[in-house]
């Protein structure tokens, strides 16, 4: 499946969440990641994310699609991390 993951959390936990998400998805902008991931890997990512975030203060939002082809991505302004440069 193809996912877009967005998180919003307190400053002291941002670095740990950034490091975790980079192990599973492609960073595209501050606190925003995207990429192909299996159900198992996504469950693993979310389980690890729950150990970092405080549910009464932080949030993680997931947008899921079966494949990337069903998403139409539009960037206005500078794209911070274009995926087409990754080999």
């Amino acid at each position: 499946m193809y996912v877009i993951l967005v998180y919003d959390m307190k400053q002291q936990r941002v670095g740990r969440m950034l490091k975790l998400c980079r192990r599973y998805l492609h960073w595209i902008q501050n606190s925003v990641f995207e990429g192909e991931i299996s159900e198992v890997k996504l469950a693993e990512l979310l389980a690890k994310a729950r150990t970092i975030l405080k549910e009464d203060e932080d949030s993680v939002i997931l947008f899921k699609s079966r494949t990337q082809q069903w998403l139409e991505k539009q960037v206005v302004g500078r794209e911070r991390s274009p995926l087409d440069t990754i080999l």
Side-chain angles (χ1 to χ4, degrees), residues 10-80:
K10 294 279 184 175
Q11 178 90 25
Q12 60 267 33
R13 293 183 289 280
V14 167
R16 290 179 57 207
M17 185 61 82
L18 173 71
K19 196 172 183 179
L20 172 66
C21 291
R22 281 188 165 167
R23 293 194 330 229
Y24 293 88
L25 298 167
H26 302 286
W27 175 84
I28 57 173
Q29 193 167 15
N30 294 346
S31 306
V32 182
F33 293 81
E34 70 179 346
E36 285 286 338
I37 191 168
S38 69
E39 289 278 351
V40 172
K41 288 292 186 187
L42 180 59
E44 184 180 295
L45 168 60
L46 293 177
K48 290 179 180 177
R50 285 186 179 98
T51 66
I52 297 170
L53 66 87
K54 291 188 175 182
E55 292 191 14
D56 58 334
E57 297 179 10
D58 308 325
S59 64
V60 174
I61 301 171
L62 275 172
F63 301 92
K64 299 179 183 177
S65 176
R66 290 185 182 174
T67 66
Q68 184 179 4
Q69 75 184 41
W70 295 104
L71 291 174
E72 183 177 336
K73 181 178 171 182
Q74 179 179 3
V75 178
V76 178
R78 182 175 65 106
E79 188 168 13
R80 293 182 150 200

